[in-house]
Amino acid sequence: MILGIGSDLCNIDRIAGVLARHGDRFRRRVFTERELALAARRRHEAATLAKRWAAKEACSKALGTGLAMGIAWRDMAVRNLATGQPTMELTGWAAERLAAMMPPGHRAQVHVTLTDDHPWAQAFVVIEALPIPADPATA
């Protein structure tokens, strides 16, 4: 069952401008060390960070809060599986909000998709509740 859907569109040039003006202060306020390490390895740091910014905005919308109610930027982190598929890791208040959304007997699956085509970066996040099997051996 779908519990939340969020999307966001972010201008890459706007993120590049914020990086130029505020540098590491902005980076540390919004992104995790792992996200920053990935962006530093990429040719277009601003595009990589813009996609992650959009994913955090989309995730906050899927959680039903927007960036209000105590949610912090760094409580939402984009991670990539070995295949390159993006995933969202929630900690802090974002994880608490996600847990509160879950119906009994369900676990959360957060789906993320990212794309960019200069000057735009876009993200969609879908939060799904999946039933937990009664017999763990069938999971």
Side-chain angles (χ1 to χ4, degrees), residues 57 60-61 63-72 76 93-94 97:
E57 286 272 8
S60 71
K61 293 170 186 174
L63 288 168
T65 65
L67 285 163
M69 298 175 59
I71 199 166
M76 302 168 288
W93 194 90
R97 171 69 181 151

Coordinates of all heavy atoms in Angstrom, one line a residue, residues 57 60-61 63-72 76 93-94 97:
E57 N 13.8 16.9 -0.5 CA 12.5 17.7 -0.6 C 11.3 16.7 -0.9 O 10.3 16.7 -0.3 CB 12.6 18.7 -1.7 CG 13.4 19.9 -1.3 CD 12.6 21.0 -0.6 OE1 11.4 20.8 -0.2 OE2 13.2 22.1 -0.4
S60 N 10.5 14.5 2.1 CA 9.8 15.2 3.1 C 8.3 15.4 2.8 O 7.5 15.3 3.6 CB 10.5 16.6 3.4 OG 10.2 17.5 2.4
K61 N 8.1 15.5 1.5 CA 6.7 15.6 1.0 C 6.0 14.3 1.2 O 4.8 14.2 1.6 CB 6.6 16.1 -0.4 CG 7.1 17.6 -0.5 CD 7.3 17.9 -2.0 CE 7.9 19.3 -2.1 NZ 8.2 19.7 -3.5
L63 N 6.7 12.0 3.3 CA 6.4 11.8 4.7 C 5.2 12.7 5.2 O 4.8 12.5 6.4 CB 7.7 12.2 5.5 CG 8.9 11.2 5.4 CD1 10.1 11.8 6.0 CD2 8.5 9.9 6.1
G64 N 4.8 13.6 4.4 CA 3.6 14.4 4.8 C 3.9 15.6 5.6 O 3.0 16.2 6.2
T65 N 5.2 16.0 5.6 CA 5.6 17.1 6.5 C 6.1 18.3 5.7 O 6.1 19.4 6.3 CB 6.7 16.6 7.5 OG1 7.8 16.3 6.8 CG2 6.2 15.5 8.3
G66 N 6.7 18.1 4.6 CA 7.5 19.1 4.0 C 8.7 19.3 4.9 O 8.9 18.4 5.8
L67 N 9.4 20.3 4.8 CA 10.6 20.5 5.6 C 10.1 21.3 6.9 O 10.6 22.4 7.2 CB 11.7 21.2 4.9 CG 12.4 20.2 4.0 CD1 13.3 20.9 3.0 CD2 13.2 19.2 4.8
A68 N 9.2 20.8 7.6 CA 8.6 21.4 8.8 C 8.5 20.3 9.9 O 9.0 19.2 9.6 CB 7.3 22.0 8.5
M69 N 8.0 20.7 11.0 CA 7.7 19.7 12.0 C 9.0 19.0 12.6 O 8.9 17.9 13.1 CB 6.7 18.6 11.6 CG 5.4 19.2 11.2 SD 4.2 18.0 10.5 CE 4.1 16.8 11.8
G70 N 10.1 19.7 12.5 CA 11.3 19.1 13.1 C 12.2 18.3 12.2 O 13.3 17.8 12.7
I71 N 11.8 18.0 11.0 CA 12.6 17.2 10.1 C 13.9 18.0 9.7 O 13.8 19.2 9.5 CB 11.8 16.7 8.9 CG1 12.5 15.5 8.2 CG2 11.6 17.9 7.9 CD1 11.6 14.8 7.2
A72 N 15.0 17.3 9.7 CA 16.3 17.9 9.3 C 16.8 17.4 8.0 O 16.5 16.2 7.7 CB 17.3 17.6 10.4
M76 N 17.6 12.7 6.1 CA 17.3 12.0 4.9 C 18.5 11.9 4.1 O 19.1 13.0 3.8 CB 16.2 12.7 4.1 CG 14.9 12.9 4.9 SD 13.7 14.1 4.2 CE 14.6 15.7 4.5
W93 N 14.3 12.3 13.3 CA 12.9 12.6 13.2 C 12.2 12.0 12.0 O 11.1 11.6 12.0 CB 12.6 14.1 13.3 CG 11.2 14.3 13.6 CD1 10.6 14.5 14.8 CD2 10.1 14.5 12.7 NE1 9.3 14.7 14.7 CE2 8.9 14.7 13.4 CE3 10.1 14.5 11.3 CZ2 7.7 14.9 12.8 CZ3 8.8 14.7 10.7 CH2 7.7 14.9 11.4
A94 N 12.9 12.0 10.8 CA 12.4 11.4 9.6 C 12.1 9.9 9.8 O 11.0 9.4 9.4 CB 13.3 11.6 8.4
R97 N 9.0 9.6 12.0 CA 7.8 9.9 11.3 C 7.4 8.7 10.4 O 6.2 8.4 10.3 CB 8.0 11.2 10.4 CG 6.9 11.5 9.4 CD 5.6 11.9 10.1 NE 4.6 12.1 9.1 CZ 3.4 12.0 9.2 NH1 2.9 11.6 10.4 NH2 2.5 12.2 8.2

